[in-house]
Amino acid sequence: MKNVYLETLGCQMNKSDTERIIGILSHFDYQKSEEQNADLVIVNTCSIRKLSEDKAYSKLGVWGKIKEQNPNLKIGICGCVAQQEKENLLKKFPYIDLVFGTHNIYELPELIQSIETKNPDGTKNRVCAIREDAVPEKDFNIVRSSGINAWLPIMEGCNNFCTYCIVPYTRGRERSREIETILKEAKQIIKEGYKEITLLGQNVDSYGKNLPDSPIYGKQDFAKLLSEIDKLEGNFRIRFTTSYPTDITDDVINVVKNSSKICECFHIPMQSGNDRILKAMNRRYTRAQYSEIVNKIRTQISDVTITSDFIAGFPSETEEEFLDTISAIKELGLDYSNTAAYSPRPKTPAGKMTDEFISKEDKKHRLAMLNETVKEASKKSNETAIGKTYEVLVEKIKEEDAKNSLKRIAEGRSRNNKVVHFQSNTARIGDFTDVKINEALVWCLKGEEIK
């Protein structure tokens, strides 16, 4: 057996891709290992922000130094940076053996064989394999990470072309997997003992738009997929991410409302609270439309959590327009939001708006204000949970908490995605435990186990 180590950067989709890559390699005498023992090292990259790209390059530099002492070490790079930079990576990093993109993971057996085969003159191949169209999915094992949650991609790519976003250029256009394929994988996940399935897509609500009707399930759309997974036998939860605001249908809301296993949580990126900036971002909604969607969900689904994403310092954004984002978070009562300062990305229209870039100082100031607002919103949201009883899926056990003179603290999440800590002598990872909430902190809740 040979050893492979993958460094995974970025989103849940990258984590899922890594599980598939390791699964494919397991068919060809590779086993997952620690970095220091690996014969093959691969960095699975994210290019959503420049910082993520720089982290990948830094890791390649470290491996290049190691290869000077161990020439047999094989080095690869995949993911969004690979799809974006292509052959440039072989030129920039002369010690890289393999570059492959987001569309050709299932070609990996042939690619590995190519870099391991010596030419007649004794030289070794350096391979760059980038496709613009995805290679059809093949039936390989998936070596999932240990834990209670399993990632399940239902679609990939995006057709929205937001002006700041590189995803359509690195992940391509929207492509949905057949409902039968997804259900087969979901059943295997349940069989393997996972307690939570997270459905993944750049825009899950667009699921099925490129698919014909199924002879078994009829129209293949997101609401239908959710309802079919909810029918599967077993004690497990279903989550999904990410949703595009105006693509969330009444059917989806109704399925979530009436399901037994789908968690009451929507992640709906807003990005800005100002209409002019939303238009400049090519987001297909206004502040009022976003608010209408949030209110509709809250009206129909009790105790639902709605989280979001926001960008500080988009090109041309004025201070007054940025303050509209601050007011939107407060007005909408968003439970939590991911934040980032605007980072220009190659190929994107916003990345070319150099004469309208916001200074680093202003972006830093706005991001700090945004983070403080999110912090306040999170605390306010958590305070509404005091006195309620939540079913918590235990994810971690800390045997001792000396700081608080407590023994055996369990940590998990409620159905509406609140992090909950509670003391328990019996709870185990993977248990569903009822917990009464008695304290709200900024990022988590504390409670007592109900026996």
Side-chain angles (χ1 to χ4, degrees):
M1 295 292 292
K2 291 168 284 188
N3 294 327
V4 59
Y5 170 79
L6 267 93
E7 180 88 7
T8 307
L9 306 174
C11 67
Q12 297 99 324
M13 190 69 79
N14 274 15
K15 294 174 184 176
S16 177
D17 285 347
T18 287
E19 293 174 343
R20 281 164 164 70
I21 290 168
I22 293 174
I24 292 169
L25 291 175
S26 72
H27 288 262
F28 301 94
D29 297 328
Y30 276 93
Q31 61 185 358
K32 188 177 177 180
S33 79
E34 297 300 319
E35 186 174 1
Q36 62 270 20
N37 301 321
D39 303 293
L40 168 65
V41 290
I42 302 172
V43 58
N44 189 356
T45 59
C46 170
S47 61
I48 202 73
R49 288 187 288 273
K50 189 174 187 303
L51 179 62
S52 300
E53 191 175 333
D54 291 342
K55 284 182 180 178
Y57 294 156
S58 176
K59 178 55 70 173
L60 289 174
V62 171
W63 289 343
K65 294 290 185 183
I66 295 173
K67 191 166 184 173
E68 291 177 2
Q69 306 302 318
N70 178 16
N72 292 322
L73 178 68
K74 295 288 190 296
I75 299 176
I77 179 172
C78 64
C80 292
V81 173
Q83 189 74 28
Q84 170 189 314
E85 295 298 321
K86 304 179 176 64
E87 294 86 353
N88 292 335
L89 291 167
L90 292 181
K91 299 173 184 177
K92 188 173 183 179
F93 302 98
Y95 41 79
I96 287 179
D97 299 282
L98 175 62
V99 178
F100 63 101
T102 57
H103 296 338
N104 55 342
I105 287 174
Y106 291 98
E107 282 187 322
L108 196 52
E110 294 84 356
L111 303 179
I112 294 295
Q113 183 180 31
S114 181
I115 65 171
E116 289 184 342
T117 302
K118 287 186 177 181
N119 295 315
D121 61 359
T123 59
K124 296 179 181 179
N125 293 313
R126 301 176 71 216
V127 174
C128 178
I130 303 295
R131 287 178 175 266
E132 297 306 317
D133 296 316
V135 172
E137 183 175 340
K138 298 177 184 177
D139 190 15
F140 286 110
N141 291 336
I142 301 170
V143 179
R144 300 189 187 278
S145 300
S146 59
I148 55 124
N149 178 72
W151 311 113
L152 176 47
I154 64 170
M155 63 174 299
E156 187 175 0
C158 185
N159 292 350
N160 288 320
F161 286 90
C162 302
T163 58
Y164 54 82
C165 186
I166 200 169
V167 167
Y169 307 97
T170 58
R171 290 281 178 179
R173 307 302 175 268
E174 292 172 353
R175 308 178 303 283
S176 299
R177 303 173 74 195
E178 294 283 349
I179 196 167
E180 292 90 344
T181 303
I182 296 170
L183 290 173
K184 178 183 176 182
E185 188 171 333
K187 290 174 184 176
Q188 182 61 32
I189 288 170
I190 298 163
K191 184 178 178 182
E192 291 173 8
Y194 290 91
K195 299 295 185 180
E196 195 169 87
I197 299 173
T198 302
L199 309 180
L200 298 179
Q202 273 74 32
N203 179 12
V204 290
D205 299 278
S206 285
Y207 171 78
K209 288 183 178 179
N210 67 312
L211 295 177
D213 288 355
S214 163
I216 300 173
Y217 300 101
K219 184 178 180 181
Q220 300 187 83
D221 62 14
F222 189 47
K224 181 64 174 178
L225 176 64
L226 283 174
S227 65
E228 292 299 329
I229 298 177
D230 188 61
K231 293 175 187 176
L232 297 178
E233 293 184 3
N235 190 18
F236 66 96
R237 290 176 174 177
I238 303 165
R239 298 190 186 276
F240 54 87
T241 190
T242 297
S243 294
Y244 191 90
T246 50
D247 290 339
I248 300 172
T249 64
D250 290 343
D251 287 343
V252 168
I253 295 171
N254 288 331
V255 169
V256 175
K257 175 183 177 181
N258 297 315
S259 71
S260 61
K261 299 182 176 74
I262 305 171
C263 293
E264 296 80 9
C265 183
F266 286 75
H267 183 66
I268 316 173
M270 188 182 191
Q271 304 300 3
S272 173
N274 177 268
D275 284 348
R276 188 189 74 82
I277 294 299
L278 287 172
K279 187 174 182 180
M281 289 176 166
N282 195 34
R283 302 290 286 181
R284 296 178 284 104
Y285 53 86
T286 63
R287 175 173 173 147
Q289 288 172 313
Y290 184 95
S291 178
E292 181 182 352
I293 293 159
V294 167
N295 291 333
K296 180 190 292 186
I297 293 170
R298 286 224 171 95
T299 299
Q300 297 193 41
I301 303 174
S302 61
D303 214 12
V304 67
T305 291
I306 298 179
T307 59
S308 193
D309 294 342
F310 289 96
I311 295 172
F314 183 81
S316 82
E317 179 188 67
T318 66
E319 186 75 12
E320 291 74 21
E321 289 169 333
F322 168 72
L323 291 176
D324 285 342
T325 293
I326 299 298
S327 67
I329 295 172
K330 297 177 180 179
E331 176 188 305
L332 295 168
L334 297 173
D335 298 277
Y336 174 79
S337 298
N338 299 314
T339 65
Y342 171 74
S343 177
R345 300 283 71 211
K347 296 185 178 180
T348 62
K352 301 171 184 176
M353 298 168 61
T354 53
D355 58 333
E356 297 185 279
F357 279 1
I358 307 300
S359 70
K360 289 183 179 180
E361 293 76 15
D362 283 344
K363 286 197 292 186
K364 183 178 179 180
H365 159 73
R366 292 179 191 179
L367 182 60
M369 188 186 301
L370 185 56
N371 287 337
E372 187 60 32
T373 303
V374 168
K375 184 177 177 181
E376 292 170 1
S378 179
K379 178 69 182 300
K380 186 175 181 180
S381 170
N382 284 345
E383 286 173 345
T384 66
I386 294 175
K388 295 179 181 178
T389 297
Y390 284 149
E391 178 195 74
V392 175
L393 175 54
V394 179
E395 299 176 353
K396 300 176 185 177
I397 299 289
K398 187 175 183 180
E399 294 295 338
E400 185 175 358
D401 184 356
K403 180 179 178 182
N404 296 304
S405 301
L406 296 174
K407 298 282 186 179
R408 209 168 189 279
I409 303 300
E411 176 185 326
R413 290 180 184 268
S414 62
R415 284 176 61 103
N416 64 353
N417 212 30
K418 300 285 188 183
V419 176
V420 180
H421 294 203
F422 63 97
Q423 187 174 357
S424 175
N425 294 322
T426 57
R428 299 169 298 173
I429 292 174
D431 283 355
F432 292 94
T433 305
D434 288 336
V435 179
K436 184 176 181 181
I437 306 303
N438 52 36
E439 185 179 356
L441 304 179
V442 173
W443 307 123
C444 71
L445 303 170
K446 291 187 177 181
E448 56 183 302
E449 182 180 13
I450 297 177
K451 298 181 180 179

